[in-house]
Amino acid sequence: MLYPFITLDDDTQIVHSELLSDGQVRVCIEQPIHRGFNSATCMLPSYTWSEVEGFSPEDIRRFQQIIEDGAHLIFRYAETGGFLNAEGF
């Protein structure tokens, strides 16, 4: 299951998986475009990118910074079943 993390002002959505059995979290990015989506996947904590379609290297650098800045929250939410299930919110 994927949980919403953030929607950017251009409707790009960043979502994440639950904490996987190997300690990783899968972060997926989708940006709507005419007739489809640009997309990419980043695995945390290694920040390994894959399945990049339609995004420029500059886009990926920008997303990397967003993910790095929010990684502590992504891991917290991944452990608790997403933002809506996190304690204290």
Side-chain angles (χ1 to χ4, degrees):
M1 177 164 203
L2 295 175
Y3 303 101
F5 178 63
I6 191 170
T7 301
L8 304 178
D9 59 359
D10 64 356
D11 292 326
T12 298
Q13 292 189 349
I14 300 177
V15 300
H16 65 84
S17 70
E18 70 280 355
L19 187 64
L20 303 174
S21 62
D22 61 1
Q24 295 190 89
V25 176
R26 182 178 180 173
V27 178
C28 301
I29 301 169
E30 283 192 343
Q31 180 185 59
I33 58 171
H34 180 68
R35 296 186 178 205
F37 293 90
N38 291 334
S39 60
T41 299
C42 179
M43 295 301 291
L44 298 181
S46 65
Y47 295 95
T48 303
W49 288 89
S50 64
E51 304 171 24
V52 177
E53 294 185 27
F55 289 124
S56 70
E58 180 59 35
D59 293 330
I60 297 300
R61 282 191 289 278
R62 181 172 61 104
F63 297 138
Q64 172 103 12
Q65 188 63 55
I66 292 168
I67 293 169
E68 285 179 7
D69 290 347
H72 64 290
L73 294 173
I74 292 170
F75 271 100
R76 179 177 175 188
Y77 302 152
E79 291 177 329
T80 59
F83 173 78
L84 296 177
N85 292 320
E87 284 190 37
F89 290 94

